[in-house]
Amino acid sequence: MSISNAPTTATPAGTASARQVVWQRRRAAFAGFCKEFSHHKAGMVGLIFLAVVIVAAALAPFIAPSRMLDVTQLLDSPRFAPPSWEHPLGTDHQGRELWVRMLWGAQVSLIVGFAATIMSMVIGTIMGIAAGHFTGWTGGLVMRIIDFFLVLPSLILAIVLSSVLSRGVLTIVIAIGLTSWAGTARVVRSQTLSVESRDYVERSRVLGAGHWHIIVKHLLPAVMPLVLANTTLTVGSAIISESTLSFLGLGDTTLQSWGTILKNAMDVSAATSGYWWYVLVPGIAIVLVVLAFTLVGRAVEQIVNPTLRSR
């Protein structure tokens, strides 16, 4: 009789131990991922460069106080001064140090890049899983929406949204995020269809698991590695889009960004007037940051994609 009462306390302990095993596996998988990533020299170079840029942007208020951007306090500063020991990256048409503007501009460019990418990844993941999991008219309707956004030129649509909405950083984030998710959705849908055909998903469905359980417990963990790899590649594209919109005058002119610096250089004809540093400095910064994100993204993609890893 005493033995029959023992199993009542076994379930919580078993549940706790199962959770511990899951977290141990996740920590082991993350440690393995970090170890493999450290062996990719190009990826590590890109990661170190991005870490330096992010730290410099975060410390911009301490390295270069905002008063260094106040033109009323720079009346004696030379305009269009070329790079020198006194002016490391030169000055602009208002006498502001270009390295100061680049530091503050890195904040806006990185914030927009990360925020727009997160928005794009969330929308793309949800739509991709929905298109791959649901059948019938629901899946067909979601797929037609994805195809519609794939056909539309994302940059043109972002320009239209930025023109209609009020100008600002949030507007640029919304414009980029709403127009760049379709590619991610197609990748997620392909992975979802592959996972749907596996035996453990079929067993869950036969045992009565609902849509929410299958999506959260099986589909989402399976597609997250591809989403992570695609995220690092999308950040670079988002930074280019932000620079393009700011260059076209659709950004917030009261904030510094690399695209705004390029627009100011165009307004004063810096390229044809011999002020080469005014154009090259922000242009090279955009190229290097996008290249760094691409190197990191390719390294992550090779780790999470068995086909690329075998090559």
Side-chain angles (χ1 to χ4, degrees):
M1 296 296 294
S2 59
I3 297 176
S4 61
N5 296 329
T8 57
T9 59
T11 303
T15 304
S17 61
R19 291 177 179 176
Q20 291 176 358
V21 170
V22 171
W23 280 108
Q24 288 176 357
R25 290 179 179 176
R26 291 178 179 177
R27 285 193 294 266
F30 180 74
F33 171 83
C34 293
K35 183 178 180 179
E36 289 190 40
F37 186 88
S38 63
H39 294 159
H40 289 268
K41 295 182 179 179
M44 288 300 298
V45 170
L47 183 62
I48 293 173
F49 179 80
L50 289 176
V52 172
V53 173
I54 292 173
V55 171
L59 297 178
F62 305 99
I63 300 175
S66 58
R67 65 175 181 274
M68 298 182 69
L69 296 172
D70 189 358
V71 295
T72 60
Q73 301 183 20
L74 302 173
L75 299 179
D76 296 332
S77 180
R79 291 169 173 76
F80 296 117
S84 61
W85 288 108
E86 185 178 0
H87 309 288
L89 296 180
T91 61
D92 63 3
H93 62 290
Q94 293 181 329
R96 293 173 293 184
E97 292 286 349
L98 208 54
W99 69 269
V100 176
R101 297 191 64 186
M102 291 297 297
L103 277 181
W104 284 92
Q107 287 188 343
V108 175
S109 296
L110 291 175
I111 289 174
V112 171
F114 283 116
T117 299
I118 292 174
M119 183 178 180
S120 173
M121 292 300 104
V122 171
I123 298 175
T125 302
I126 293 174
M127 297 295 286
I129 291 178
H133 174 71
F134 294 103
T135 58
W137 68 270
T138 304
L141 177 61
V142 175
M143 197 59 213
R144 298 293 78 77
I145 296 175
I146 296 175
D147 292 337
F148 174 77
F149 277 91
L150 278 174
V151 173
L152 285 179
S154 58
L155 182 59
I156 302 299
L157 184 56
I159 292 174
V160 172
L161 290 176
S162 299
S163 302
V164 173
L165 303 176
S166 59
R167 295 183 181 180
V169 174
L170 181 60
T171 298
I172 293 181
V173 170
I174 294 174
I176 298 174
L178 289 179
T179 57
S180 59
W181 57 268
T184 301
R186 289 298 297 265
V187 174
V188 172
R189 176 181 178 272
S190 299
Q191 181 67 7
T192 300
L193 292 175
S194 175
V195 176
E196 284 276 353
S197 61
R198 296 177 183 174
D199 294 337
Y200 64 88
V201 177
E202 291 294 336
R203 285 197 298 266
S204 297
R205 188 177 289 109
V206 170
L207 291 174
H211 295 298
W212 179 255
H213 177 85
I214 294 176
I215 290 174
V216 174
K217 296 295 184 180
H218 302 301
L219 299 182
L220 190 59
V223 303
M224 282 308 296
L226 288 179
V227 173
L228 176 62
N230 199 34
T231 297
T232 54
L233 296 173
T234 307
V235 174
S237 301
I239 291 177
I240 293 178
S241 300
E242 184 277 330
S243 300
T244 303
L245 294 176
S246 298
F247 178 76
L248 295 175
L250 299 175
D252 190 349
T253 57
T254 62
L255 297 176
Q256 301 294 329
S257 75
W258 294 342
T260 302
I261 297 174
L262 284 175
K263 182 181 185 305
N264 296 152
M266 182 195 67
D267 292 339
V268 298
S269 303
T272 58
S273 301
Y275 311 132
W276 51 269
W277 60 90
Y278 206 171
V279 180
L280 284 182
V281 170
I284 292 176
I286 294 172
V287 171
L288 290 179
V289 169
V290 173
L291 177 61
F293 274 112
T294 303
L295 293 177
V296 174
R298 293 303 180 190
V300 174
E301 190 177 22
Q302 289 180 6
I303 295 173
V304 301
N305 193 332
T307 305
L308 297 177
R309 184 169 51 193
S310 62
R311 294 178 184 176

